[in-house]
Amino acid sequence: MSVILLCVLSLVLAGSGSGLHGRNASVSHEYCVLGAGPAGLQMGYFLSRSQRDYIILERNAGPGSFFQIYPRHRKLISINKIYTGRRNKEFNLRHDWNSLLSDRPTLLFQRISRELYPNADDFPRYLSTFVKELGLKVKYGADIGRIKASDFNGNQGYILTDQNGVSYQCSVLLVSTGLWVPQQVDFLGSDLVEGYESIPTDPEEFKDQAVLILGKGNSAFETAQSILGRASRIHLYSPSPVRLAWQTHYVGDLRAVNNELLDTYQLKSLDGLVEGRLEDIAIVRREKDGGKRRTAKKRSQTSTEGKEQLYLTLTELLDQNGNNISKVTGQNLPGFHTDNFSLRQPYDRVIRCLGFRFNFSVFDGSARPPQSSGARGRLPGITAWYEGRGTPNMFVLGTAAHSRDYRMSAGGFVHGFRYTVRAVHKILEQRYHNIGWPATKLPISQLQSWILRRVNEASGPYQMFGVLGDIILLRGSYCEYLEEFPLQALPQLSTLSGRPLTDHGLLVLVMQYGLNRTDTLGPGRAESEWTKAWRSNFLHPVLYYYNTLPTEKDMRQRPVGWPLPRPEAVHHMVEDFLTEWDQPISHSQPLRRFLEHCLQTDLRAFYAESCFLLSLTSRTPPLFCRQGYLRKQGIMGNSHLWQHAREAGLMADHHGHITPGDDTSVSEYLKHADAAVVSTMNFDL
């Protein structure tokens, strides 16, 4: 039904459009992508590949305009690890945080920069290359100032109007504008504060100045680090203590590349961190003779002599009339009441570094998504499948969609949202074009090898841990394997994927960190015993088995910190220092036994000789032999496996003269599984 409605709506919109882009013209598209940042271009690639009618609208003259300005000090903190010792492109994306997904194996960010932490100017260059080589449809200079919803034959579409009066009528709106409106807190004296977006970036401008920075995120520490060798002292003030990314595993927290001030703080070199509510403070100006508080004025940036200095005080110490205060005396300052108040000394500058928020102003009441309940309302509220709440047919992509996994995973960053964008595209294909979520059909005997391949190389679940997971729909003797489905949308699996569930149940494969609170760098921080895999602290694979699909109520009532409700059975694969889950005793054998428990099936793997013997001596050979050897699909078709088996001592050397034939019936999956199949074999079990 959605396919028919979308086609009707597209015809209506096409009939109303002139096809021209002049003033007051009206054009129509099936999909409108708002913003040519990385998320918008990523969606543009998928729409282009599926040959959909789309347009990407960008207000600036090129893609990725945010990165033309930010970060202000021009060093990205997204890892660009080129050398991994592997040639597996999927695995390497686990350590490439800047590239977008495409079918061009060379269209990677490393073509532009080979620095581990690249210069920010390199990213727009990469995005421009991405647009050019893939031929994406981008209209630059289209500054959308108004978005309203409109009803077309019972379906909600959207009309976007730019600065020239051109209207873009869309069946589906995909919002990928990111966050670019500076986050501000209203307090007395906020007019005296400089913004991160406008501060000078030359460290010499801060020579011998005392600086107070509001905020303790990466922009605050980036700013502090740039002036560390010039400012006389730097204090950072915000409600929360600093959160270190290597402790929280959240890449949006303070990264080590920006945290040199922690050294100068803890080694007592005049810098420091203080906690307090921003809403309770006031920034006041006081002349050296204790004169009047004055409004903001342009200050000299070359000398601090004779300049009025800024004091941090509390609103409760000021006159009850607040903004009407005309004079600030010593009694209005915290140091008068508490002589060792941390921030009692004056500052030459106060800088606001509080991050950014979503721009809600372009949406009228009919199209405006609600503010998110988390992230201090800075983001739009969206469903588990990234559709705006109360705004049907409008989906939010990229950083703006981070409310789904704020402070939990990497959905606010390129290396995370490139996968959520791909997931949204699959949802669009099912809803509007009746094309089901791509699935790989596997014999049950091959499931373990496929799982091992995914946990050892897949980049999507690895980057979007706890948010995207692989769904395995059990169908008896075979299964359907769906990759990277949004876990919080699991109750809507059949509707969103077009794949029905059977009474055989399902498995869900998730990458997740442990819930145990441990010293990240202390002793006992890791678990190495496979029998205690559930105590793993670092990122590791977890399998959940359900007889039936969890409900919305189940999702709401799941244990705190769990990505999914309690299952009928759960299996943790013990964390691995090398993030290689391929060892026979610690990884493969426990996984096989878990799958056998859930499926009530013998999943042991055998060589052709063993299958031949078992076929002669047993009325019911093992499932692996029935689905493989007896169908001419034995392991002997892969020469790499023979070599690995001989080197591992699993086969005698006299097999060395045997060369597997060119049997084309060998399953395609064996080309990828490599030693994963061999490592499960233990004839003593």
Side-chain angles (χ1 to χ4, degrees), residues 130 170 288 354 410 449 462 596 684:
F130 192 84
C170 319
K288 289 191 175 182
L354 301 175
S449 300
Y462 188 90
E596 289 178 337
D684 296 328

Side-chain angles (χ1 to χ4, degrees), residues 624-645:
F624 184 89
C625 296
R626 298 199 306 272
Q627 292 187 342
Y629 172 75
L630 295 181
R631 297 181 182 178
K632 300 181 181 180
Q633 294 181 350
I635 295 179
M636 60 183 298
N638 191 323
S639 61
H640 176 73
L641 295 179
W642 284 93
Q643 179 65 26
H644 178 85

Side-chain angles (χ1 to χ4, degrees), residues 37 64 120 139 203 207 232 251 277 300 360 362 375 384 397 449 454 460 481 518 545 562 595 609 627 662:
K139 186 177 189 302
K207 186 176 180 180
S232 60
V251 297
R277 279 172 44 88
S300 169
F360 291 91
V362 297
L397 311 175
S449 300
R454 288 288 293 170
Y481 199 106
T518 60
Y545 170 67
W562 286 41
L595 294 175
E609 293 93 331
Q627 292 187 342
D662 298 326

Side-chain angles (χ1 to χ4, degrees), residues 569-640:
V570 64
H571 174 68
H572 291 255
M573 296 180 69
V574 69
E575 61 183 297
D576 188 80
F577 180 73
L578 301 175
T579 61
E580 296 175 356
W581 293 275
D582 58 1
Q583 296 306 297
I585 295 177
S586 295
H587 305 126
S588 300
Q589 187 169 289
L591 171 61
R592 193 202 79 209
R593 287 176 170 168
F594 171 76
L595 294 175
E596 289 178 337
H597 168 75
C598 296
L599 305 175
Q600 294 297 297
T601 303
D602 183 357
L603 295 179
R604 287 179 296 173
F606 299 90
Y607 277 109
E609 293 93 331
S610 300
C611 284
F612 176 72
L613 177 62
L614 291 168
S615 299
L616 294 176
T617 59
S618 174
R619 290 186 177 182
T620 307
L623 180 65
F624 184 89
C625 296
R626 298 199 306 272
Q627 292 187 342
Y629 172 75
L630 295 181
R631 297 181 182 178
K632 300 181 181 180
Q633 294 181 350
I635 295 179
M636 60 183 298
N638 191 323
S639 61
H640 176 73

